[in-house]
Amino acid sequence: MLQLEQLTLNIPDTTKPRVVIIGGGFGAVNLTKNLPDEQFQVVMLSKQNYHGFWPLLYQVATAGLEPESIAEPIRKLFDDHKDFHFRFTRVNSINPAAKTVSTVIGDVPYDYLVIATGTKSNYFGNEQIKQNAFGLKHLSDAINLRSQLLQSFEQANLTKNPEARRSLLNIVIAGAGPTGVELAGSLAEMRQHVLPRDYPGMDFREMNIYLVDGLDRVLPPMSPESSRHTHGYLEKLGVIIKLNKFVESYDGQTVKFKDGEEIRSQTLVWAAGVAGATIEGLPAETVERGRYLVNTFNQVQGFTDVFAIGDVAVMKSEKWPKGHPQVAQPAIQQGVHLAKNLVRKLRGDEWKPFSYFDKGSLAIVGRARAVADLPGKKSLSGFIAWVAWLFVHIYYLVGFRNKLIVMANWVYRFFTYQRGTRIIIQPYVNSEDKAAQEYVRLQTVD
Ligand SMILES: Cc1cc2nc3c(=O)[nH]c(=O)nc-3n(C[C@H](O)[C@H](O)[C@H](O)COP(=O)(O)OP(=O)(O)OC[C@H]3O[C@@H](n4cnc5c(N)ncnc54)[C@H](O)[C@@H]3O)c2cc1C
């Protein structure tokens, strides 16, 4: 490996306007796709070298999909763009006076800056939970969680101590939004169809899946009708739902709630909140509740050449007084719209304000169990919503190869009830038990 001081960003000079984009997610990718190569130089700086399809992340964590099948390398996505320059680096700060952004490797000047950094997990300032809980925001999180779950099952199969076994088999998911719901449903189906075959000597009635939320219903962003259906589906699958419940602390062994209840568990999954991934450098008044305040052209308040799109931006309007929901569609649509406005600007045409086309929302609980809120306040549930969920996710998944692999996995799973990727990759041991650690170490030494 080279030392940092031996590295340089190596971005070619240009006479075209340079658009620097921070991030490689839904917003950034759709913006880049729509910026004509001959008119702009595009520099994309991202701390991941891939574009991740996060709606399917929970399936990686529950051994249903290979990690690579829900991600596409950024360089491959734009290998036909001649003036596109990807740099695999984190942006640490923005200097709007000098019109540069700073990375550990160096500074990059911009004509237009687009911040498309999405969100990060929000632990509401609780460092202990942050240290001990499992997040689900990146591919590495999903692989880590998968390893943790599989190792817990392996260890539970090896212990004769019922207390220890229950603590290994208790899974607590904090946050009953789409991620928490989908994860809980998937784990419950795994418990029903996969684990008893893998561990014939174990009684999986001892495995509890808890879904907890501080609010009074599951899927709070969706309609009450969809919440009600989802609640029913989850209960049928045996998920224990605890509402109006706040996690207070977690030391890696015991989840403690504000009302005094405690659950012994080696696995707490944190899906309870996100905050915008803002970057140092812009004035404090540009940020509201962790998101950049933008106007209808996605310009960050007070700037004409700095834009924010997607989850990290909050564009308030009469219809969306708190901004758009932090889901993929606003990011995709804002990316496409901003590209068109930048082209308009070059032509000397008027900019057009962004208007969000709400295509509705979907969530899946399990086989033939899903819910959909359609535009016009209509809701669907059950098999039809499930089929719609499958089609929409395949449609938006990036890359033909990924679509094929994911579809093949789903068909295989539908007919066999199997999950193909029950592989422990990382020797992760969330246990202070030395013998358990030694057991895992022995499985991983050369
Ligand atoms: C587990 C999970 C499940 C979800 N399920 C759904 C769903 O079912 N339906 C739905 O519509 N939405 C879903 N979402 C939300 C959806 O993924 C987001 O709304 C969408 O990704 C937002 O796009 P974005 O471009 O704003 O950010 P992202 O797609 O998150 O991209 C952010 C990018 O910025 C990069 N980055 C961040 N900080 C820096 C930095 N300082 N320097 C360099 N690069 C940086 C990241 O590496 C990443 O490439 C889900 C999200 C998660 C995490």
Side-chain angles (χ1 to χ4, degrees):
M1 283 298 235
L2 292 174
Q3 302 292 308
L4 273 183
E5 52 274 17
Q6 291 174 277
L7 303 177
T8 154
L9 284 164
N10 255 339
I11 295 164
D13 289 338
T14 181
T15 50
K16 293 186 263 183
R18 176 183 288 160
V19 183
V20 172
I21 304 171
I22 312 174
F26 284 97
V29 162
N30 284 283
L31 168 66
T32 307
K33 270 190 199 162
N34 289 281
L35 281 175
D37 224 11
E38 56 288 354
Q39 289 175 327
F40 296 94
Q41 183 188 63
V42 176
V43 175
M44 183 183 284
L45 308 168
S46 181
K47 63 189 171 89
Q48 288 163 345
N49 79 329
Y50 60 86
H51 166 57
F53 191 75
W54 309 137
L56 293 180
L57 199 57
Y58 80 95
Q59 294 205 9
V60 175
T62 51
L65 291 174
E66 293 82 354
E68 289 81 359
S69 67
I70 66 156
E72 193 72 352
I74 301 271
R75 287 185 183 278
K76 182 171 165 238
L77 269 178
F78 298 111
D79 59 3
D80 56 342
H81 286 228
K82 292 189 184 59
D83 209 357
F84 169 79
H85 308 274
F86 175 72
R87 297 295 179 262
F88 175 41
T89 182
R90 169 193 286 272
V91 174
N92 292 327
S93 62
I94 300 166
N95 184 345
K99 293 188 68 151
T100 58
V101 298
S102 295
T103 75
V104 281
I105 306 166
D107 292 355
V108 188
Y110 62 81
D111 294 301
Y112 300 110
L113 173 65
V114 184
I115 309 167
T117 44
T119 56
K120 54 186 180 194
S121 291
N122 186 358
Y123 296 91
F124 305 101
N126 191 322
E127 276 305 309
Q128 193 204 32
I129 295 179
K130 186 175 173 184
Q131 288 284 315
N132 295 304
F134 288 81
L136 195 54
K137 282 286 300 161
H138 306 292
L139 276 187
S140 49
D141 291 338
I143 299 169
N144 233 3
L145 178 57
R146 184 178 78 186
S147 296
Q148 163 71 7
L149 292 167
L150 296 172
Q151 276 173 188
S152 297
F153 304 143
E154 291 296 338
Q155 288 180 25
N157 193 36
L158 295 176
T159 179
K160 290 213 157 40
N161 178 339
E163 183 76 359
R165 193 170 50 246
R166 270 196 295 275
S167 136
L168 286 160
L169 292 178
N170 279 343
I171 317 286
V172 182
I173 301 165
T179 301
V181 161
E182 293 179 349
L183 186 65
S186 183
L187 277 170
E189 289 201 326
M190 204 174 170
R191 173 179 60 184
Q192 205 172 333
H193 302 294
V194 180
L195 298 177
R197 276 205 265 173
D198 271 9
Y199 304 90
M202 261 165 71
D203 180 358
F204 279 94
R205 282 174 302 185
E206 281 187 311
M207 177 177 170
N208 290 315
I209 301 159
Y210 297 94
L211 181 64
V212 299
D213 201 291
L215 296 178
D216 60 0
R217 62 181 175 107
V218 300
L219 282 186
M222 293 187 71
S223 66
E225 199 180 341
S226 290
S227 288
R228 195 167 40 77
H229 282 295
T230 303
H231 197 113
Y233 291 150
L234 288 167
E235 280 189 335
K236 270 200 194 119
L237 284 169
V239 174
I240 303 168
I241 302 169
K242 289 175 177 283
L243 299 171
N244 299 309
K245 197 98 176 152
F246 293 90
V247 177
E248 189 173 62
S249 67
Y250 180 57
D251 59 3
Q253 304 294 322
T254 308
V255 186
K256 290 190 180 159
F257 296 93
K258 273 214 171 105
D259 60 7
E261 188 183 343
E262 295 185 3
I263 298 174
R264 295 266 299 156
S265 171
Q266 306 268 323
T267 313
L268 168 67
V269 184
W270 194 255
V274 290
T278 52
I279 298 177
E280 247 176 55
L282 298 186
E285 58 271 18
T286 58
V287 177
E288 187 178 287
R289 292 208 210 143
R291 297 167 86 182
Y292 291 110
L293 283 160
V294 296
N295 63 14
T296 51
F297 308 120
N298 283 98
Q299 287 165 313
V300 173
Q301 186 173 283
F303 293 91
T304 52
D305 51 4
V306 180
F307 304 81
I309 57 174
D311 279 2
V312 78
V314 56
M315 184 191 290
K316 294 185 191 174
S317 61
E318 207 175 307
K319 189 165 176 207
W320 302 99
K322 292 182 185 162
H324 302 113
Q326 284 168 297
V327 290
Q329 276 302 323
I332 294 172
Q333 294 177 29
Q334 286 177 0
V336 174
H337 188 82
L338 179 56
K340 288 184 181 160
N341 267 343
L342 290 175
V343 172
R344 282 187 192 109
K345 168 125 186 161
L346 272 196
R347 284 203 306 254
D349 293 346
E350 287 274 292
W351 284 19
K352 290 198 175 155
F354 175 75
S355 150
Y356 176 48
F357 175 44
D358 185 5
K359 297 183 177 172
S361 36
L362 289 155
I364 188 171
V365 185
R367 172 182 289 247
R369 294 179 173 114
V371 288
D373 285 347
L374 306 176
K377 300 212 161 136
K378 287 199 187 78
S379 295
L380 289 178
S381 61
F383 183 75
I384 302 177
W386 180 69
V387 172
W389 187 94
L390 298 178
F391 273 105
V392 166
H393 284 72
I394 286 292
Y395 180 79
Y396 282 105
L397 185 63
V398 175
F400 182 65
R401 181 182 151 276
N402 288 347
K403 288 181 202 273
L404 276 186
I405 295 174
V406 169
M407 264 197 295
N409 265 295
W410 286 350
V411 171
Y412 170 75
R413 209 156 85 206
F414 186 81
F415 289 108
T416 64
Y417 284 91
Q418 275 293 346
R419 308 232 176 146
T421 60
R422 298 195 299 281
I423 312 291
I424 299 170
I425 291 182
Q426 290 191 322
Y428 189 95
V429 191
N430 186 18
S431 166
E432 284 168 10
D433 179 347
K434 290 275 175 292
Q437 289 183 4
E438 182 60 8
Y439 167 75
V440 174
R441 194 187 66 77
L442 286 175
Q443 314 310 310
T444 52
V445 287
D446 288 333

